[in-house]
Amino acid sequence: MTTYDVIVVGAGAAGLNCARLLAGEGLRVVVHEARERLGGRIHTFRPADGGPPLELGAQVVHGEHNPVHELLGPGRTAAVPRRVTARIVEDGAERSMGALSTGRRAPWQLEAALLRTPGVTGLSVGSWLRACGSTGAEAAAATEWFRQNWATDPEQLSAAGVAAAHRGDAVGEGEFAVDGGFARLPERLAGGLDVRLGSVVRELSYEPGRVTVRTDAGSAVARAVVLTVPPAAAMPGLPAWKLAAAADLPAGDGCCAVVTLDRPAPDTVIVFDVDGRTGFTRCAAGRPEVLVVAKAGAAASLRAAVADRTAQSDRTALAELLATALPWTSGATVLDVAVADWGQDPYARGAFTAPRAGLEDAAGRWAEPVDDTLFFAGEATVAGEQLPWVQGALASGERAAEQVLKALR
């Protein structure tokens, strides 16, 4: 039986960053990853013709001070171009994005107002929207905005958690793309590490200072283990109080698709579907791909359309969804569809974890080490503390590495 200092479960941003830091301190570390690829919910689609990559998971690098810039090295990230036509679908009609701030407060204005509002402890975002007088079309747009940005219905989303996560994020402004795709980040983090792909951890048992994990290839023993799997995919063998914390941290539904058509897009466009059917849809001028990033109820809508596409030769449901968001696709033939269905993924069980109203302490309970032997990382461990994006996952991996080093030394 092989013995290590630390076993890390999960080769996403959190697990790889944690393993990198521990290995850098001279510890013997192995990473077990159930998928046959690195990255977890970082998943890059690369067109067959060598065109620009598209992201089926984490979309962009947020902020000019994001640690991703330093990890990748100079010249590997570039600001996302702002020359894009922004539109919405509302009541079945395509309109300018500016309609959301004409005679009403735009969703992003309401979210900014939430961050400035004191005394929101105990409120859901839905109850806060009603308290600040948001009704009608304004409230409907804001509700869908929060669903798509937090993968959770505002009635369950913690207003205090949203505000705290924004305040805890110090990466600055702007959005950046990774040259060659976001998957370059886990590839860089994994350099020099012992990573076992396709290695599902079936069972975990522990006593203070000793943990055993079993995979299909055999068992391994370590002084500590770092679990970076989402709480919804928590494995047997954890204490009951840990499993209770996991149950309070469900991941919101998410589904992404790259649809390749038989014609190129005439313009670079992003569309926000206020009606809740497609989430955010994007296309780039001169390219045949359409990217659909859908969360909450829109994820179920996209999932159903993709399933219909596999069952019917005319692909009507998917074509209808695209034509509503992007009229230029009407009559186009779908050549290929690449899907990352995070809600149905057995190792993700959802897009990411948002802070739930009344359960704001759940992330802290999930993050708490057990007997200086079991440690936890991943974006769920910082829910309501930092934004549930890659920088939050990286920070959680760093925190877990510090905890492990303190315990083992």
Side-chain angles (χ1 to χ4, degrees):
M1 186 178 296
T2 309
T3 301
Y4 299 90
D5 292 311
V6 185
I7 296 172
V8 176
V9 181
L16 292 174
N17 198 36
C18 181
R20 177 185 70 91
L21 294 169
L22 292 172
E25 292 293 326
L27 297 183
R28 189 179 184 199
V29 183
V30 64
V31 181
H32 288 281
E33 168 55 51
R35 298 180 180 89
E36 295 289 350
R37 61 171 181 82
L38 299 169
R41 285 167 285 181
I42 295 173
H43 188 19
T44 298
F45 171 85
R46 295 186 172 95
D49 67 357
L54 297 114
E55 305 299 343
L56 286 165
Q59 294 294 301
V60 297
V61 179
H62 294 271
E64 70 269 27
H65 304 305
N66 196 303
V68 171
H69 301 297
E70 182 177 354
L71 288 168
L72 288 173
R76 297 307 302 268
T77 59
V80 175
R82 290 297 183 182
R83 290 180 294 180
V84 56
T85 301
R87 303 193 65 80
I88 66 171
V89 173
E90 188 174 39
D91 296 330
E94 188 193 22
R95 303 173 184 173
S96 167
M97 186 74 78
L100 291 177
S101 56
T102 302
R104 51 176 156 162
R105 292 170 290 183
W108 51 89
Q109 293 171 326
L110 286 165
E111 188 166 23
L114 170 59
L115 308 187
R116 300 190 299 267
T117 304
V120 296
T121 301
L123 293 179
S124 69
V125 169
S127 59
W128 177 82
L129 286 170
R130 289 188 291 274
C132 73
S134 185
T135 60
E138 177 187 282
T143 294
E144 189 59 24
W145 177 266
F146 279 102
R147 284 177 180 147
Q148 293 310 312
N149 283 282
W150 289 90
T152 300
D153 191 275
E155 298 302 330
Q156 283 78 50
L157 184 61
S158 167
V162 168
H166 276 284
R167 287 194 295 267
D169 194 63
V171 297
E173 302 297 325
E175 294 181 343
F176 301 81
V178 178
D179 180 31
F182 222 138
R184 298 294 190 202
L185 175 64
E187 291 167 5
R188 175 63 65 89
L189 292 174
L193 294 177
D194 182 358
V195 181
R196 313 290 176 87
L197 297 178
S199 180
V200 181
V201 174
R202 303 292 184 184
E203 187 178 3
L204 177 152
S205 60
Y206 77 98
E207 58 188 46
R210 179 184 172 89
V211 61
T212 302
V213 301
R214 182 179 65 82
T215 70
D216 293 339
S219 297
V221 175
R223 298 161 64 194
V225 65
V226 181
L227 298 175
T228 72
V229 297
M235 62 189 63
L238 297 180
W241 66 272
K242 273 291 179 184
L243 295 176
D248 289 338
L249 290 166
D253 198 7
C255 185
C256 301
V258 174
V259 183
T260 303
L261 303 174
D262 66 344
R263 66 184 65 167
D267 194 8
T268 299
V269 180
I270 179 170
V271 181
F272 168 44
D273 188 348
V274 176
D275 294 341
R277 299 185 64 204
T278 54
F280 286 96
T281 305
R282 306 168 188 259
C283 61
R287 293 300 307 175
E289 301 92 7
V290 172
L291 172 65
V292 186
V293 179
K295 304 183 188 77
S301 174
L302 176 60
R303 183 178 299 123
V306 170
D308 178 79
R309 188 267 312 174
T310 62
Q312 299 184 30
S313 60
D314 57 6
R315 301 169 176 178
T316 54
L318 185 59
E320 188 271 332
L321 273 186
L322 295 181
T324 301
L326 298 168
W328 67 266
T329 68
S330 181
T333 298
V334 176
L335 301 179
D336 191 25
V337 182
V339 180
D341 190 342
W342 302 111
Q344 299 296 314
D345 185 305
Y347 309 120
R349 305 286 182 89
F352 51 76
T353 305
R356 299 286 176 129
L359 299 171
E360 287 83 359
D361 68 333
R365 288 186 281 125
W366 178 246
E368 185 178 343
V370 178
D371 292 331
D372 281 341
T373 304
L374 307 184
F375 299 86
F376 298 81
E379 49 81 20
T381 66
V382 296
E385 178 184 335
Q386 296 188 44
L387 293 170
W389 299 331
V390 171
Q391 64 264 33
L394 291 169
S396 76
E398 182 175 351
R399 181 168 66 182
E402 292 171 352
Q403 293 169 338
V404 170
L405 288 171
K406 182 179 179 180
L408 299 189
R409 291 184 173 176

